[in-house]
Amino acid sequence: MKLSEKIRLYQLSLIASMLFAFIGFAYNAWRLEVSEQNNNIRTACFEMLKELAQLEQLMYIAHYDQNKIEGSPRKGWISVGLINDFSYLTNGELQKSATRLKATWSENWQSIDASTQAVDLVVQDIDNVRTEIKQQLNRLE
């Protein structure tokens, strides 16, 4: 093999090596980005599930136990706010469900202790958010 052929072969193998290295780096960077995004979504969803459980428990304490201290509907605003805030780390459908929950809570929070209908409306929206969370978690890559 002549020296010029060896140099040409060396150049081609160098170009191929650089191309494979670049492709590998690009894929790795993309995969890390997707993994980080999935981790953020997963964490937000789990936190939302905790807040949904606290909100539901608070409503049952207020409505069925008639405990105005532990079941103060004003405490629910904290949970509803956190659920809504965490929803912005997820997809649009989950954000819409969280926004609907906030609107339903806003319309019904003052009558949680006396109105079964108010409790049912809020619980229905809580269940909708839970369903969206489960769907979101199933869609993660």
Side-chain angles (χ1 to χ4, degrees), residues 49-86:
L49 286 170
K50 285 192 232 178
E51 292 300 325
L52 288 167
Q54 286 181 358
L55 179 61
E56 194 169 25
Q57 182 180 24
L58 179 130
M59 286 190 336
Y60 292 152
I61 290 170
H63 184 74
Y64 295 110
D65 298 342
Q66 292 294 310
N67 185 333
K68 296 188 188 291
I69 296 169
E70 286 183 42
S72 172
R74 288 184 179 88
K75 293 179 184 178
W77 277 110
I78 296 168
S79 292
V80 169
L82 283 170
I83 291 163
N84 199 49
D85 290 345
F86 279 125

mmCIF file of all heavy atoms in Angstrom, residues 49-86:
data_model
loop_
_atom_site.group_PDB
_atom_site.id
_atom_site.type_symbol
_atom_site.label_atom_id
_atom_site.label_comp_id
_atom_site.label_asym_id
_atom_site.label_seq_id
_atom_site.Cartn_x
_atom_site.Cartn_y
_atom_site.Cartn_z
ATOM 1 N N LEU A 49 -49.832 14.225 43.977
ATOM 2 C CA LEU A 49 -50.627 13.150 44.575
ATOM 3 C C LEU A 49 -50.699 13.306 46.094
ATOM 4 O O LEU A 49 -51.762 13.106 46.703
ATOM 5 C CB LEU A 49 -50.056 11.778 44.204
ATOM 6 C CG LEU A 49 -50.304 11.324 42.771
ATOM 7 C CD1 LEU A 49 -49.496 10.069 42.462
ATOM 8 C CD2 LEU A 49 -51.786 11.097 42.508
ATOM 9 N N LYS A 50 -49.586 13.690 46.715
ATOM 10 C CA LYS A 50 -49.583 13.914 48.169
ATOM 11 C C LYS A 50 -50.525 15.059 48.547
ATOM 12 O O LYS A 50 -51.287 14.954 49.503
ATOM 13 C CB LYS A 50 -48.171 14.238 48.661
ATOM 14 C CG LYS A 50 -47.245 13.069 48.738
ATOM 15 C CD LYS A 50 -46.005 13.493 49.502
ATOM 16 C CE LYS A 50 -44.761 13.180 48.747
ATOM 17 N NZ LYS A 50 -43.538 13.610 49.425
ATOM 18 N N GLU A 51 -50.444 16.148 47.800
ATOM 19 C CA GLU A 51 -51.294 17.308 48.087
ATOM 20 C C GLU A 51 -52.766 16.993 47.837
ATOM 21 O O GLU A 51 -53.632 17.467 48.576
ATOM 22 C CB GLU A 51 -50.856 18.514 47.256
ATOM 23 C CG GLU A 51 -49.504 19.075 47.634
ATOM 24 C CD GLU A 51 -49.427 19.551 49.079
ATOM 25 O OE1 GLU A 51 -50.438 20.078 49.611
ATOM 26 O OE2 GLU A 51 -48.358 19.388 49.689
ATOM 27 N N LEU A 52 -53.051 16.205 46.820
ATOM 28 C CA LEU A 52 -54.439 15.806 46.555
ATOM 29 C C LEU A 52 -54.990 14.995 47.720
ATOM 30 O O LEU A 52 -56.141 15.186 48.138
ATOM 31 C CB LEU A 52 -54.524 14.991 45.257
ATOM 32 C CG LEU A 52 -54.326 15.766 43.960
ATOM 33 C CD1 LEU A 52 -54.115 14.809 42.798
ATOM 34 C CD2 LEU A 52 -55.504 16.693 43.696
ATOM 35 N N ALA A 53 -54.170 14.085 48.255
ATOM 36 C CA ALA A 53 -54.603 13.278 49.400
ATOM 37 C C ALA A 53 -54.852 14.164 50.625
ATOM 38 O O ALA A 53 -55.843 13.975 51.346
ATOM 39 C CB ALA A 53 -53.562 12.208 49.708
ATOM 40 N N GLN A 54 -53.976 15.130 50.854
ATOM 41 C CA GLN A 54 -54.163 16.039 51.993
ATOM 42 C C GLN A 54 -55.426 16.872 51.838
ATOM 43 O O GLN A 54 -56.164 17.095 52.801
ATOM 44 C CB GLN A 54 -52.947 16.955 52.151
ATOM 45 C CG GLN A 54 -51.738 16.259 52.708
ATOM 46 C CD GLN A 54 -50.553 17.209 52.863
ATOM 47 O OE1 GLN A 54 -50.629 18.389 52.524
ATOM 48 N NE2 GLN A 54 -49.452 16.685 53.369
ATOM 49 N N LEU A 55 -55.669 17.346 50.612
ATOM 50 C CA LEU A 55 -56.862 18.147 50.355
ATOM 51 C C LEU A 55 -58.124 17.315 50.585
ATOM 52 O O LEU A 55 -59.072 17.779 51.227
ATOM 53 C CB LEU A 55 -56.839 18.697 48.929
ATOM 54 C CG LEU A 55 -58.041 19.534 48.506
ATOM 55 C CD1 LEU A 55 -58.174 20.773 49.381
ATOM 56 C CD2 LEU A 55 -57.915 19.917 47.028
ATOM 57 N N GLU A 56 -58.117 16.101 50.087
ATOM 58 C CA GLU A 56 -59.283 15.230 50.260
ATOM 59 C C GLU A 56 -59.509 14.922 51.744
ATOM 60 O O GLU A 56 -60.640 14.971 52.234
ATOM 61 C CB GLU A 56 -59.084 13.946 49.460
ATOM 62 C CG GLU A 56 -60.327 13.131 49.293
ATOM 63 C CD GLU A 56 -60.154 12.017 48.280
ATOM 64 O OE1 GLU A 56 -59.010 11.557 48.051
ATOM 65 O OE2 GLU A 56 -61.175 11.599 47.728
ATOM 66 N N GLN A 57 -58.439 14.636 52.452
ATOM 67 C CA GLN A 57 -58.551 14.365 53.887
ATOM 68 C C GLN A 57 -59.082 15.598 54.629
ATOM 69 O O GLN A 57 -59.953 15.483 55.489
ATOM 70 C CB GLN A 57 -57.196 13.951 54.449
ATOM 71 C CG GLN A 57 -57.248 13.617 55.926
ATOM 72 C CD GLN A 57 -55.888 13.215 56.454
ATOM 73 O OE1 GLN A 57 -54.854 13.583 55.907
ATOM 74 N NE2 GLN A 57 -55.879 12.447 57.540
ATOM 75 N N LEU A 58 -58.577 16.754 54.287
ATOM 76 C CA LEU A 58 -59.032 17.993 54.919
ATOM 77 C C LEU A 58 -60.530 18.198 54.696
ATOM 78 O O LEU A 58 -61.261 18.555 55.626
ATOM 79 C CB LEU A 58 -58.245 19.172 54.342
ATOM 80 C CG LEU A 58 -58.629 20.535 54.880
ATOM 81 C CD1 LEU A 58 -57.399 21.293 55.310
ATOM 82 C CD2 LEU A 58 -59.402 21.310 53.844
ATOM 83 N N MET A 59 -60.988 17.923 53.485
ATOM 84 C CA MET A 59 -62.414 18.097 53.201
ATOM 85 C C MET A 59 -63.264 17.123 54.008
ATOM 86 O O MET A 59 -64.315 17.500 54.531
ATOM 87 C CB MET A 59 -62.679 17.889 51.713
ATOM 88 C CG MET A 59 -62.206 19.037 50.882
ATOM 89 S SD MET A 59 -62.740 18.951 49.177
ATOM 90 C CE MET A 59 -63.030 17.239 48.906
ATOM 91 N N TYR A 60 -62.817 15.887 54.108
ATOM 92 C CA TYR A 60 -63.591 14.905 54.868
ATOM 93 C C TYR A 60 -63.619 15.252 56.358
ATOM 94 O O TYR A 60 -64.645 15.079 57.020
ATOM 95 C CB TYR A 60 -63.033 13.501 54.652
ATOM 96 C CG TYR A 60 -63.249 12.985 53.243
ATOM 97 C CD1 TYR A 60 -62.385 12.067 52.682
ATOM 98 C CD2 TYR A 60 -64.325 13.416 52.470
ATOM 99 C CE1 TYR A 60 -62.575 11.590 51.395
ATOM 100 C CE2 TYR A 60 -64.518 12.952 51.180
ATOM 101 C CZ TYR A 60 -63.647 12.038 50.649
ATOM 102 O OH TYR A 60 -63.845 11.570 49.383
ATOM 103 N N ILE A 61 -62.509 15.751 56.865
ATOM 104 C CA ILE A 61 -62.479 16.180 58.275
ATOM 105 C C ILE A 61 -63.437 17.354 58.484
ATOM 106 O O ILE A 61 -64.186 17.392 59.456
ATOM 107 C CB ILE A 61 -61.043 16.549 58.712
ATOM 108 C CG1 ILE A 61 -60.174 15.291 58.796
ATOM 109 C CG2 ILE A 61 -61.040 17.295 60.032
ATOM 110 C CD1 ILE A 61 -58.687 15.572 58.984
ATOM 111 N N ALA A 62 -63.420 18.290 57.547
ATOM 112 C CA ALA A 62 -64.299 19.463 57.666
ATOM 113 C C ALA A 62 -65.766 19.072 57.521
ATOM 114 O O ALA A 62 -66.617 19.546 58.283
ATOM 115 C CB ALA A 62 -63.925 20.500 56.621
ATOM 116 N N HIS A 63 -66.058 18.224 56.538
ATOM 117 C CA HIS A 63 -67.456 17.924 56.243
ATOM 118 C C HIS A 63 -68.043 16.862 57.170
ATOM 119 O O HIS A 63 -69.093 17.078 57.777
ATOM 120 C CB HIS A 63 -67.606 17.466 54.791
ATOM 121 C CG HIS A 63 -69.019 17.222 54.392
ATOM 122 N ND1 HIS A 63 -69.907 18.249 54.166
ATOM 123 C CD2 HIS A 63 -69.711 16.077 54.203
ATOM 124 C CE1 HIS A 63 -71.087 17.741 53.851
ATOM 125 N NE2 HIS A 63 -70.998 16.421 53.860
ATOM 126 N N TYR A 64 -67.389 15.727 57.268
ATOM 127 C CA TYR A 64 -67.971 14.611 58.016
ATOM 128 C C TYR A 64 -67.687 14.681 59.518
ATOM 129 O O TYR A 64 -68.531 14.310 60.321
ATOM 130 C CB TYR A 64 -67.496 13.281 57.440
ATOM 131 C CG TYR A 64 -67.993 13.069 56.034
ATOM 132 C CD1 TYR A 64 -67.120 13.112 54.948
ATOM 133 C CD2 TYR A 64 -69.345 12.850 55.777
ATOM 134 C CE1 TYR A 64 -67.572 12.940 53.657
ATOM 135 C CE2 TYR A 64 -69.806 12.675 54.478
ATOM 136 C CZ TYR A 64 -68.916 12.719 53.417
ATOM 137 O OH TYR A 64 -69.378 12.553 52.138
ATOM 138 N N ASP A 65 -66.495 15.145 59.897
ATOM 139 C CA ASP A 65 -66.165 15.245 61.320
ATOM 140 C C ASP A 65 -66.568 16.592 61.911
ATOM 141 O O ASP A 65 -66.545 16.762 63.129
ATOM 142 C CB ASP A 65 -64.666 15.017 61.545
ATOM 143 C CG ASP A 65 -64.211 13.631 61.117
ATOM 144 O OD1 ASP A 65 -65.076 12.750 60.970
ATOM 145 O OD2 ASP A 65 -62.992 13.441 60.930
ATOM 146 N N GLN A 66 -66.875 17.543 61.035
ATOM 147 C CA GLN A 66 -67.227 18.903 61.461
ATOM 148 C C GLN A 66 -66.161 19.510 62.380
ATOM 149 O O GLN A 66 -66.468 20.234 63.311
ATOM 150 C CB GLN A 66 -68.603 18.913 62.157
ATOM 151 C CG GLN A 66 -69.757 18.600 61.232
ATOM 152 C CD GLN A 66 -69.966 19.666 60.179
ATOM 153 O OE1 GLN A 66 -70.030 20.852 60.480
ATOM 154 N NE2 GLN A 66 -70.052 19.255 58.925
ATOM 155 N N ASN A 67 -64.903 19.194 62.093
ATOM 156 C CA ASN A 67 -63.778 19.727 62.860
ATOM 157 C C ASN A 67 -63.266 20.966 62.134
ATOM 158 O O ASN A 67 -62.580 20.876 61.112
ATOM 159 C CB ASN A 67 -62.683 18.664 62.982
ATOM 160 C CG ASN A 67 -61.538 19.102 63.868
ATOM 161 O OD1 ASN A 67 -61.264 20.281 64.010
ATOM 162 N ND2 ASN A 67 -60.867 18.128 64.452
ATOM 163 N N LYS A 68 -63.594 22.119 62.655
ATOM 164 C CA LYS A 68 -63.250 23.372 61.985
ATOM 165 C C LYS A 68 -61.797 23.785 62.186
ATOM 166 O O LYS A 68 -61.309 24.675 61.495
ATOM 167 C CB LYS A 68 -64.189 24.472 62.440
ATOM 168 C CG LYS A 68 -65.629 24.215 62.048
ATOM 169 C CD LYS A 68 -66.483 25.402 62.342
ATOM 170 C CE LYS A 68 -67.939 25.105 62.145
ATOM 171 N NZ LYS A 68 -68.355 24.896 60.803
ATOM 172 N N ILE A 69 -61.114 23.146 63.106
ATOM 173 C CA ILE A 69 -59.706 23.482 63.332
ATOM 174 C C ILE A 69 -58.824 22.676 62.387
ATOM 175 O O ILE A 69 -58.086 23.238 61.579
ATOM 176 C CB ILE A 69 -59.317 23.258 64.808
ATOM 177 C CG1 ILE A 69 -60.117 24.220 65.690
ATOM 178 C CG2 ILE A 69 -57.817 23.455 65.005
ATOM 179 C CD1 ILE A 69 -60.026 23.944 67.166
ATOM 180 N N GLU A 70 -58.902 21.351 62.479
ATOM 181 C CA GLU A 70 -58.082 20.501 61.590
ATOM 182 C C GLU A 70 -58.599 20.522 60.160
ATOM 183 O O GLU A 70 -57.835 20.297 59.224
ATOM 184 C CB GLU A 70 -58.071 19.065 62.108
ATOM 185 C CG GLU A 70 -57.217 18.867 63.343
ATOM 186 C CD GLU A 70 -57.190 17.405 63.756
ATOM 187 O OE1 GLU A 70 -57.085 16.538 62.874
ATOM 188 O OE2 GLU A 70 -57.282 17.154 64.969
ATOM 189 N N GLY A 71 -59.889 20.782 59.998
ATOM 190 C CA GLY A 71 -60.490 20.775 58.678
ATOM 191 C C GLY A 71 -60.789 22.150 58.136
ATOM 192 O O GLY A 71 -61.708 22.321 57.348
ATOM 193 N N SER A 72 -60.000 23.111 58.541
ATOM 194 C CA SER A 72 -60.228 24.476 58.065
ATOM 195 C C SER A 72 -60.033 24.538 56.545
ATOM 196 O O SER A 72 -58.955 24.234 56.036
ATOM 197 C CB SER A 72 -59.262 25.447 58.741
ATOM 198 O OG SER A 72 -59.363 26.719 58.131
ATOM 199 N N PRO A 73 -61.084 24.926 55.827
ATOM 200 C CA PRO A 73 -60.968 24.999 54.369
ATOM 201 C C PRO A 73 -59.880 25.966 53.891
ATOM 202 O O PRO A 73 -59.387 25.837 52.787
ATOM 203 C CB PRO A 73 -62.350 25.478 53.922
ATOM 204 C CG PRO A 73 -63.255 25.108 55.033
ATOM 205 C CD PRO A 73 -62.429 25.213 56.281
ATOM 206 N N ARG A 74 -59.490 26.898 54.727
ATOM 207 C CA ARG A 74 -58.420 27.824 54.337
ATOM 208 C C ARG A 74 -57.097 27.084 54.126
ATOM 209 O O ARG A 74 -56.274 27.486 53.322
ATOM 210 C CB ARG A 74 -58.281 28.928 55.373
ATOM 211 C CG ARG A 74 -59.433 29.906 55.331
ATOM 212 C CD ARG A 74 -59.237 31.050 56.300
ATOM 213 N NE ARG A 74 -60.339 31.969 56.219
ATOM 214 C CZ ARG A 74 -61.456 31.864 56.932
ATOM 215 N NH1 ARG A 74 -61.627 30.864 57.763
ATOM 216 N NH2 ARG A 74 -62.423 32.759 56.814
ATOM 217 N N LYS A 75 -56.911 25.981 54.868
ATOM 218 C CA LYS A 75 -55.713 25.160 54.665
ATOM 219 C C LYS A 75 -55.708 24.531 53.278
ATOM 220 O O LYS A 75 -54.658 24.259 52.714
ATOM 221 C CB LYS A 75 -55.618 24.062 55.723
ATOM 222 C CG LYS A 75 -55.376 24.546 57.120
ATOM 223 C CD LYS A 75 -55.338 23.363 58.086
ATOM 224 C CE LYS A 75 -55.191 23.805 59.516
ATOM 225 N NZ LYS A 75 -55.198 22.648 60.439
ATOM 226 N N GLY A 76 -56.908 24.310 52.763
ATOM 227 C CA GLY A 76 -57.018 23.727 51.428
ATOM 228 C C GLY A 76 -56.434 24.604 50.337
ATOM 229 O O GLY A 76 -55.965 24.117 49.313
ATOM 230 N N TRP A 77 -56.464 25.910 50.571
ATOM 231 C CA TRP A 77 -55.890 26.829 49.577
ATOM 232 C C TRP A 77 -54.407 26.556 49.357
ATOM 233 O O TRP A 77 -53.903 26.718 48.246
ATOM 234 C CB TRP A 77 -56.093 28.288 50.008
ATOM 235 C CG TRP A 77 -57.442 28.802 49.651
ATOM 236 C CD1 TRP A 77 -58.458 29.103 50.503
ATOM 237 C CD2 TRP A 77 -57.942 29.073 48.340
ATOM 238 N NE1 TRP A 77 -59.547 29.540 49.805
ATOM 239 C CE2 TRP A 77 -59.264 29.535 48.467
ATOM 240 C CE3 TRP A 77 -57.397 28.956 47.072
ATOM 241 C CZ2 TRP A 77 -60.046 29.891 47.376
ATOM 242 C CZ3 TRP A 77 -58.173 29.309 45.976
ATOM 243 C CH2 TRP A 77 -59.475 29.770 46.137
ATOM 244 N N ILE A 78 -53.717 26.148 50.400
ATOM 245 C CA ILE A 78 -52.287 25.841 50.270
ATOM 246 C C ILE A 78 -52.108 24.640 49.359
ATOM 247 O O ILE A 78 -51.300 24.665 48.417
ATOM 248 C CB ILE A 78 -51.656 25.592 51.656
ATOM 249 C CG1 ILE A 78 -51.721 26.868 52.492
ATOM 250 C CG2 ILE A 78 -50.219 25.100 51.519
ATOM 251 C CD1 ILE A 78 -51.404 26.678 53.958
ATOM 252 N N SER A 79 -52.868 23.587 49.610
ATOM 253 C CA SER A 79 -52.778 22.383 48.780
ATOM 254 C C SER A 79 -53.182 22.673 47.344
ATOM 255 O O SER A 79 -52.502 22.250 46.396
ATOM 256 C CB SER A 79 -53.653 21.263 49.344
ATOM 257 O OG SER A 79 -53.143 20.797 50.563
ATOM 258 N N VAL A 80 -54.282 23.384 47.163
ATOM 259 C CA VAL A 80 -54.751 23.703 45.816
ATOM 260 C C VAL A 80 -53.708 24.544 45.074
ATOM 261 O O VAL A 80 -53.435 24.319 43.892
ATOM 262 C CB VAL A 80 -56.119 24.424 45.870
ATOM 263 C CG1 VAL A 80 -56.494 25.007 44.525
ATOM 264 C CG2 VAL A 80 -57.196 23.469 46.348
ATOM 265 N N GLY A 81 -53.112 25.487 45.775
ATOM 266 C CA GLY A 81 -52.067 26.311 45.149
ATOM 267 C C GLY A 81 -50.859 25.498 44.743
ATOM 268 O O GLY A 81 -50.319 25.675 43.639
ATOM 269 N N LEU A 82 -50.423 24.589 45.611
ATOM 270 C CA LEU A 82 -49.278 23.742 45.273
ATOM 271 C C LEU A 82 -49.585 22.811 44.109
ATOM 272 O O LEU A 82 -48.745 22.608 43.220
ATOM 273 C CB LEU A 82 -48.836 22.930 46.493
ATOM 274 C CG LEU A 82 -48.043 23.696 47.541
ATOM 275 C CD1 LEU A 82 -47.876 22.855 48.801
ATOM 276 C CD2 LEU A 82 -46.690 24.104 46.987
ATOM 277 N N ILE A 83 -50.769 22.242 44.101
ATOM 278 C CA ILE A 83 -51.168 21.362 42.998
ATOM 279 C C ILE A 83 -51.126 22.138 41.689
ATOM 280 O O ILE A 83 -50.584 21.664 40.689
ATOM 281 C CB ILE A 83 -52.578 20.786 43.251
ATOM 282 C CG1 ILE A 83 -52.548 19.813 44.422
ATOM 283 C CG2 ILE A 83 -53.128 20.115 41.996
ATOM 284 C CD1 ILE A 83 -53.917 19.500 45.011
ATOM 285 N N ASN A 84 -51.668 23.324 41.710
ATOM 286 C CA ASN A 84 -51.671 24.153 40.509
ATOM 287 C C ASN A 84 -50.249 24.531 40.088
ATOM 288 O O ASN A 84 -49.914 24.484 38.900
ATOM 289 C CB ASN A 84 -52.527 25.406 40.748
ATOM 290 C CG ASN A 84 -52.954 26.064 39.473
ATOM 291 O OD1 ASN A 84 -53.452 25.408 38.567
ATOM 292 N ND2 ASN A 84 -52.766 27.362 39.392
ATOM 293 N N ASP A 85 -49.409 24.880 41.047
ATOM 294 C CA ASP A 85 -48.019 25.244 40.729
ATOM 295 C C ASP A 85 -47.243 24.064 40.161
ATOM 296 O O ASP A 85 -46.519 24.205 39.168
ATOM 297 C CB ASP A 85 -47.309 25.776 41.970
ATOM 298 C CG ASP A 85 -47.821 27.141 42.400
ATOM 299 O OD1 ASP A 85 -48.523 27.806 41.595
ATOM 300 O OD2 ASP A 85 -47.541 27.537 43.546
ATOM 301 N N PHE A 86 -47.372 22.903 40.785
ATOM 302 C CA PHE A 86 -46.660 21.717 40.292
ATOM 303 C C PHE A 86 -47.145 21.297 38.905
ATOM 304 O O PHE A 86 -46.385 20.708 38.138
ATOM 305 C CB PHE A 86 -46.815 20.539 41.262
ATOM 306 C CG PHE A 86 -45.883 20.577 42.424
ATOM 307 C CD1 PHE A 86 -46.378 20.526 43.724
ATOM 308 C CD2 PHE A 86 -44.517 20.642 42.246
ATOM 309 C CE1 PHE A 86 -45.521 20.555 44.813
ATOM 310 C CE2 PHE A 86 -43.651 20.675 43.322
ATOM 311 C CZ PHE A 86 -44.154 20.632 44.612
#
